[in-house]
Amino acid sequence: TALKTDGTLWVWGYNAQGQLGQNNRTAYSSPVQVGSDTTWDKIPNNGGEESITHISVIKTDGTLWVWGENYWGSLGQNSNVKYSSPVQVPGTWSDTAQGHASLRAVKTDGTLWVWGLNERGIFGTNQAHDVNYSSPVQVPGTTWHSVSAGYSSTIGIKRI
């Protein structure tokens, strides 16, 4: 996944889960543009190769868009339905991080939200491991600045 300086979003590679946002499951060996928008702004801090089956990107207006595999609700759509085209997660967002079948994101109001596979309790919601969320759930606190994800970890930075 790559952003050009003109605000366009480009993808290529494996696409079995629709994670390239082309409304199909065809693999591409050369870059293809996702839609025609020129307002894509931030690609997430990715959690390694396990996050390649779904994609999330924030636009310049703070909207968060997701697509691809949706096991355990990793797209935050209150379902397990796969999407091969971008769908919006409600809210205004400033940062996002993808992990294995999961997403973490910071809203512009400083709140941190998590969804998807809560493997080993990585979300910090004080729930036993394997309690999964198909819709965003808030992590305590309101001064979150950024978030990063690993295969089975989450790291958040708060504002002082």
Side-chain angles (χ1 to χ4, degrees):
T1 306
L3 286 172
K4 283 189 168 183
T5 56
D6 65 1
T8 57
L9 179 65
W10 297 79
V11 293
W12 58 94
Y14 181 72
N15 192 30
Q17 305 299 326
Q19 66 266 39
L20 297 184
Q22 300 298 308
N23 201 27
N24 63 42
R25 296 197 177 6
T26 304
Y28 293 89
S29 60
S30 297
V32 291
Q33 188 174 347
V34 177
S36 59
D37 291 351
T38 59
T39 56
W40 299 104
D41 189 38
K42 294 181 184 177
I43 297 175
N45 301 313
N46 288 324
E49 66 182 67
E50 290 300 325
S51 65
I52 62 171
T53 58
H54 65 281
I55 294 189
S56 63
V57 182
I58 296 174
K59 288 190 173 187
T60 55
D61 64 0
T63 56
L64 174 60
W65 297 82
V66 295
W67 58 94
E69 174 188 80
N70 195 21
Y71 299 127
W72 300 287
S74 58
L75 299 182
Q77 300 297 308
N78 198 30
S79 73
N80 291 329
V81 175
K82 295 178 189 177
Y83 292 90
S84 59
S85 295
V87 292
Q88 187 177 352
V89 177
T92 308
W93 307 87
S94 60
D95 192 40
T96 182
Q98 291 178 199
H100 172 63
S102 60
L103 213 67
R104 302 101 164 114
V106 178
K107 284 189 171 183
T108 54
D109 66 1
T111 56
L112 174 61
W113 299 78
V114 294
W115 58 93
L117 177 63
N118 187 27
E119 192 170 38
R120 298 178 184 97
I122 62 173
F123 287 158
T125 55
N126 202 26
Q127 295 292 322
H129 70 83
D130 297 333
V131 174
N132 308 313
Y133 307 105
S134 62
S135 294
V137 172
Q138 188 177 353
V139 175
T142 59
T143 57
W144 296 100
H145 175 266
S146 60
V147 65
S148 186
Y151 179 82
S152 60
S153 62
T154 300
I155 299 170
I157 297 175
K158 286 187 145 193
R159 287 179 172 55
I160 295 178

